Amino acid sequence: MREYIKTGLILAAFMIAAGFLVSVVYNFVNPMIVQSEFNNTLSAIEEVLKDANTGEYLVSNIPKNEEELERNIWKEDQNGVLYVSQKNAKVYSPVYKFTENNTEIYVMTVSGVGYGGDVVSVISFIKKEGGQITLNKIEVINYSQETPGLGARISEESVKKRFSSIPESGLNVGVKVDKDAGVTVPTNSINTYKEQGVVKTSDVMTGATITPRAVADSINAAVEFLKEKGVM
């Protein structure tokens, strides 16, 4: 009996020590993980604050740290999510608004349901003085569950570029990838079809439909959110 008690006490001490060690490691590592994720998002925000066509910055004061970024918060929610669409695409808190020469730039983090999990992107919209709004650019920041060589290609520049410069006419009818729209988009008509909300991805993401569809769903959620807030 004494041996059983002794063994039990040893195991209990081991479990307490192991739990303490895990707690110490977590408390040490977690701030670095959070900081790394923030730096990744900040880098993506800087990227989408560039004009998709010229590569020039849309604003003169690019935020370089958390304090500078917080000055541009437009909408936020302590629950972390501002909007959820019928397709479970999300707009995350906070959403940022930048103003430059009577032009408004809205920047937000969004997600859509991909093949293996959520595909998360940072996207920007430009609203000109006349009221017309355009999806400027996207930067995919999390696609870790997507299939290598297929859905994971969503992060490639050639793919992201297809989701840039979508005019308000295309945003209003809803963004779809060409396979879901059931149309064949000629290479020389890619921008024309964007006016109808159709994004050609079948040639740059052969065999992958779910992942680019997730990006399209996330863009549509962002549009619905902007309409809800009276921006569109």
Side-chain angles (χ1 to χ4, degrees):
M1 179 63 70
R2 289 181 179 177
E3 289 299 319
Y4 284 124
I5 294 174
K6 181 179 178 181
T7 301
L9 290 173
I10 292 172
L11 288 174
F14 176 78
M15 291 175 67
I16 292 171
F20 176 74
L21 181 61
V22 169
S23 177
V24 169
V25 171
Y26 174 80
N27 289 330
F28 177 75
V29 173
N30 189 57
M32 291 187 286
I33 294 174
V34 171
Q35 186 61 45
S36 177
E37 290 178 347
F38 173 76
N39 290 341
N40 188 31
T41 300
L42 185 62
S43 177
I45 289 172
E46 180 177 350
E47 190 61 34
V48 301
L49 283 173
K50 295 177 182 177
D51 187 290
N53 297 312
T54 67
E56 296 179 357
Y57 284 115
L58 297 167
V59 296
S60 53
N61 295 317
I62 301 296
K64 297 299 183 183
N65 53 53
E66 189 170 2
E67 182 181 353
E68 292 179 4
L69 184 60
E70 286 179 349
R71 295 173 190 158
N72 297 284
I73 290 177
W74 176 56
K75 299 291 182 183
E76 60 183 332
D77 190 293
Q78 63 180 3
N79 294 321
V81 177
L82 286 162
Y83 184 81
V84 181
S85 74
Q86 291 185 350
K87 294 187 176 181
N88 204 34
K90 300 179 180 69
V91 175
Y92 295 96
S93 176
V95 170
Y96 304 97
K97 178 182 176 181
F98 301 82
T99 303
E100 187 91 0
N101 298 326
N102 296 319
T103 297
E104 298 172 352
I105 301 99
Y106 296 87
V107 176
M108 60 190 80
T109 302
V110 295
S111 71
V113 181
Y115 181 76
D118 284 344
V119 179
V120 184
S121 305
V122 173
I123 64 178
S124 62
F125 293 86
I126 301 174
K127 186 176 183 180
K128 298 288 187 180
E129 188 175 6
Q132 286 291 309
I133 194 164
T134 302
L135 171 63
N136 175 54
K137 198 172 184 182
I138 76 163
E139 191 68 21
V140 183
I141 60 173
N142 192 340
Y143 54 95
S144 59
Q145 302 301 315
E146 302 309 293
T147 308
L150 293 173
R153 297 189 65 189
I154 194 68
S155 67
E156 296 178 3
E157 287 299 324
S158 60
V159 178
K160 292 185 292 184
K161 189 175 181 180
R162 295 294 175 87
F163 287 97
S164 68
S165 302
I166 301 177
E168 186 168 346
S169 60
L171 298 175
N172 279 329
V173 298
V175 177
K176 302 182 186 70
V177 296
D178 51 337
K179 281 191 175 181
D180 287 341
V183 298
T184 301
V185 180
T187 304
N188 61 357
S189 300
I190 289 175
N191 289 331
T192 301
Y193 273 83
K194 284 183 181 180
E195 296 174 4
Q196 304 169 38
V198 179
V199 176
K200 182 180 176 70
T201 60
S202 57
D203 58 334
V204 289
M205 292 192 70
T206 306
T209 303
I210 297 176
T211 308
R213 179 188 297 144
V215 173
D217 289 344
S218 68
I219 291 170
N220 291 331
V223 170
E224 291 168 13
F225 172 75
L226 290 175
K227 286 182 177 180
E228 184 181 84
K229 300 303 178 184
V231 177
M232 297 178 66

